[in-house]
Amino acid sequence: MKKLPIMKLLTHNMLTSNIIKGVTKGYPLGIVASKVEVKEVDFNPDFISRMIPKVDWKVLCGAVQQLSQPDLPAEPVENYKDNEEFLKQVHNALMQVEVIEGNLVCPESGRHFPISNGIPNMLLKEDEV
Amino acid sequence: MSIFDHPGPDSSYILCVNNAGLDNGMSVDEVDSIFSPYGELDDIILLPQKPYAFVCFSNTENALEAYNNLNGFQINPTEKRPTTLTLYIFFVSKVPSYLCPSSELPPGLIPLEDFISPEYSQELLKFLDFGDKQASERELKHRQVKHFGYEFKYGINDVDADDPLPQGIPEICKDLLDKALKTGHIQFYPDQLTVNRYLPGQGIPPHVDTPAAFEDGLMALSLGSQVVMDFRHPNGKHLSVMLPPNSLLIMTKESRYVWSHGITPRKSDIISTDKGLTVVKRDIRTSFTFRKIIHPKDRIHRTIPNYIDNENSNKQINESQSNLPKSEQEAEELEKLHVHKVYEEIADHFSGTRHTAWPRISNFLMSQPAGSLVADIGCGNGKYLGVNKNIYMVGSDRSMNLIQICKERKYEAFVGDILSVPIKSEILDVCICIAVIHHLSTQERRKNAVKELLRVVRPGGKVLIYVWAMEQELHNVKSKYLRECKIPAKADFLHSESSILSNSIDCQQNIDKCNHTQNSLQYDFDSKCDVSSSDHDGNRNDCQFTSIEHDGNGDSCHGTVSIESDSSKSNESKKLHVHTNRTQFKQQDLLVPWQLKSKDKSEMSKEEDKNTFHRYYHVFKKDELETMCQSLNCCKVIDSYYDQGNWAVTLEKT
């Protein structure tokens, strides 16, 4: 049980750079990671089942790919609620893959948001707002 | 050898241990005896008047073991220390700015790395050979010292210009001095050299080299070991500068005349690398300090450059900013100075952190269905992020230092601004925003903040907002802020598993103590501030805990006090008044002072001004928050209530 800072891909799934002036979509953010770890987190199948319809599946698949983690199927499998193996796969992607150092990259402007010590810094400079 | 060659682990192995500081009556030896059973310690750092200690392990595993065994550990009272101390520990990936070298330098300071080659360095050390005892050598309490050119007399911080030493600046220094002159940062070839030899654990007290005695442009060459040098401005600002071996430090202008420099006696330095913090042991360090003396006959014609003037003009600018903002830009400036900067400084010192989730907010979070996606915008130290284990919560705050505290507690969090929330629209089920919007300084900005909160939740999703109320007394019941301090009820500690923070009993004892000594200690209402104390300059004390409750001595104001300032109606420039703590609010836009306690009364009186700084608030009148939210036409107010001096609304996005 390590207590070290990280950013999870579920958080990545929510973040956008459309706060930058002129950027309309800003989603999904690219991930350029220099340090990624996979850490064990308690598996809660019910929680994961409830997350699946909420996440942007394509974005999650893309993120997993960018971090060279085991691929997810292109679509959630049918009746996933009872498919423990699949839920474990998703659990790993959403909760266990952790970006510690790197950058989130705006897909439109190329602006980098640094992730340092697991903390994405999404603050903009005055002229970007 | 680079200082970064230290084979440190990839991540933090420095523990911040609350209630183990000098301020708690602890000593280095005592901390050592508690922590050393868990592994080799690189260093233990106790700072004057601080209620915490930093314990540096040489590897993460040991640090983790100590953390697992000692978090919540109780130290029995001793004769010297009558109270039981409970240790609360967390990992730090950042230490207060004065402990770790920052990129900011005092103006006029020029550090030049790798100024000489390692071979040259060896030759210089060989030339000195501290082994033999020369006439000019002296043992100082803290270090060995040799002089060339003139003897630097520590008693008077000066030289006797009419009594030069037989040996001038050694010939061997010529190459490096020529090189230094070529940089253009110094104007004179030095004629005085002091060589100090510091063993690990030795230091030099803070001092300014006598302005009248030496020309501008002092130089310090470091050999053999790195060291962190502390620079302090008279206004209390404290910066640390890393001096790697073979580097030359040139002190000019303000850094030479205004800032003091010194070395804290320690056996190691904490430095920040791109991999995190690491502790580097100090080795024997030899420093060459070169100066050009001003002969006494020339001194009378000279005036010492006055760099203090700049400081005064800065202060005036700050004061002129304490008006109600008239433009967007002024609003940003005001918030930068009186909100962001203050929280950043408060967060930087982890001490005295207390952690009580407000029950109604916890209940709200507990009532959300499992699997809800929730954001806490302006999450501060993250006290709500772990309340409900069955929902996914992510926190956002403007303060990097506060987010770091969240991260150390293993919560998901990022740094962001409430006016530009970097979350995709309509993806959250719930958003909470506790004690944040009252820090925005125009009506427009407060409205935009609520718009942002509503933007990120899905239709049907909920937003819970808390703001500080103008009315601190409702139905003849005074709020906690006005009431006398009492021990918080057990029920307040819903969140005990993560309360790594000082407990209520300690809090009560401290309050009693402070009341007895009549210090002008003031408490702060805001939950965020119980993260830690604020320490304006890194040099003084902290308020170890915060609480709120105090006896109101003013009359009840609701409905009777005329509102002097209402930013939504008036465009006139209005001076922001400084609120008197524990009293009823007299206006809606104000600066709330934060005052640090000091145990030493004499210090208190001297430094009272420096220990006070101000946060901007717009306190909300009854119905104001509700009306503002309704005016946005994209939500309905499904609940609206008063909770301990705060107005709260629950909105549903339509």
Side-chain angles (χ1 to χ4, degrees), chain B residues 77-269:
Chain B
T78 62
E79 210 168 292
K80 258 176 64 189
R81 204 185 46 231
T83 55
T84 301
L85 295 173
T86 308
L87 301 185
Y88 295 105
I89 304 177
F90 43 100
F91 278 80
V92 292
S93 55
K94 196 173 178 216
V95 290
S97 57
Y98 52 88
L99 261 185
C100 190
S102 62
S103 52
E104 188 184 351
L105 294 173
L109 192 74
I110 303 132
L112 301 168
E113 280 190 33
D114 296 319
F115 190 77
I116 61 167
S117 69
E119 296 74 32
Y120 194 172
S121 155
Q122 284 306 315
E123 280 175 44
L124 286 167
L125 289 171
K126 213 166 133 193
F127 165 80
L128 277 169
D129 190 13
F130 268 100
D132 68 345
K133 296 268 173 195
Q134 288 190 2
S136 59
E137 182 183 324
R138 266 217 211 138
E139 287 272 350
L140 282 188
K141 189 181 167 196
H142 300 294
R143 58 197 189 272
Q144 282 180 290
V145 63
K146 267 184 191 182
H147 302 286
F148 298 90
Y150 299 86
E151 185 183 348
F152 184 87
K153 298 191 165 119
Y154 286 91
I156 51 169
N157 260 325
D158 203 347
V159 294
D160 183 348
D162 295 322
D163 182 23
L165 294 168
Q167 192 181 6
I169 300 262
E171 186 63 23
I172 192 170
C173 299
K174 190 172 180 302
D175 283 357
L176 83 95
L177 291 173
D178 286 344
K179 190 177 170 189
L181 276 167
K182 275 190 199 140
T183 65
H185 296 301
I186 56 159
Q187 319 303 325
F188 308 97
Y189 197 92
D191 54 10
Q192 195 275 329
L193 165 63
T194 301
V195 181
N196 286 296
R197 186 167 177 267
Y198 299 84
L199 299 176
Q202 294 181 330
I204 184 167
H207 63 282
V208 176
D209 286 50
T210 310
F214 307 102
E215 295 284 1
D216 195 4
L218 308 169
M219 291 185 281
L221 183 74
S222 296
L223 303 178
S225 172
Q226 93 293 337
V227 79
V228 168
M229 187 171 268
D230 299 295
F231 284 84
R232 291 181 175 84
H233 192 278
N235 70 6
K237 189 159 183 173
H238 185 168
L239 294 172
S240 296
V241 178
M242 167 60 73
L243 310 181
N246 308 329
S247 70
L248 182 73
L249 184 73
I250 306 179
M251 286 180 239
T252 70
K253 300 178 184 141
E254 194 184 309
S255 71
R256 181 258 181 272
Y257 291 106
V258 180
W259 295 66
S260 73
H261 57 278
I263 295 169
T264 309
R266 295 219 313 258
K267 290 193 171 158
S268 63
D269 293 303

Side-chain angles (χ1 to χ4, degrees), chain B residues 127 147 299 374 455 459 576:
Chain B
F127 165 80
H147 302 286
R299 290 183 191 179
V374 182
R455 180 183 62 79
L576 287 172

Side-chain angles (χ1 to χ4, degrees), chain A residues 1-8 10-11 13-16 18-19 27 35 44 46-47 50-51 54 56 95 101 117-124 126 129, chain B residues 10-11 64 67-68 93 274 332 336 370-373 390-392 394 398 400 403-404 407 410 412-417 420-424 427-429:
Chain A
M1 187 198 70
K2 279 195 168 181
K3 300 230 170 194
L4 300 170
I6 40 88
M7 183 199 77
K8 291 185 198 293
L10 185 44
T11 301
N13 210 276
M14 300 177 181
L15 292 177
T16 170
N18 72 1
I19 51 175
Y27 186 83
K35 195 171 167 200
N44 179 343
D46 177 54
F47 178 84
R50 288 168 187 268
M51 282 302 148
K54 294 188 185 217
D56 187 318
M95 308 301 288
E101 299 289 332
N117 256 322
I119 301 177
N121 185 343
M122 305 302 291
L123 290 180
L124 299 176
E126 278 154 37
V129 183
Chain B
D10 289 345
S11 44
L64 197 64
Y67 170 85
N68 287 334
S93 55
D274 50 359
E332 281 172 24
K336 206 185 276 178
S372 295
L373 288 178
N390 294 315
I391 62 177
Y392 188 76
V394 56
R398 192 81 182 48
M400 172 61 89
I403 290 298
Q404 250 155 5
K407 279 287 172 176
K410 270 193 102 180
E412 277 292 291
F414 57 84
V415 179
D417 192 303
S420 303
V421 177
I423 296 178
K424 208 181 150 196
I427 61 156
L428 300 177
D429 297 300

Side-chain angles (χ1 to χ4, degrees), chain B residues 408-449:
Chain B
E408 279 145 21
R409 299 158 136 189
K410 270 193 102 180
Y411 298 139
E412 277 292 291
F414 57 84
V415 179
D417 192 303
I418 189 170
L419 293 172
S420 303
V421 177
I423 296 178
K424 208 181 150 196
S425 299
E426 309 206 332
I427 61 156
L428 300 177
D429 297 300
V430 171
C431 191
I432 68 170
C433 178
I434 310 303
V436 179
I437 290 173
H438 53 217
H439 285 312
L440 294 165
S441 57
T442 67
Q443 171 82 352
E444 197 56 26
R445 290 166 75 79
R446 294 187 284 272
K447 263 170 97 164
N448 286 338

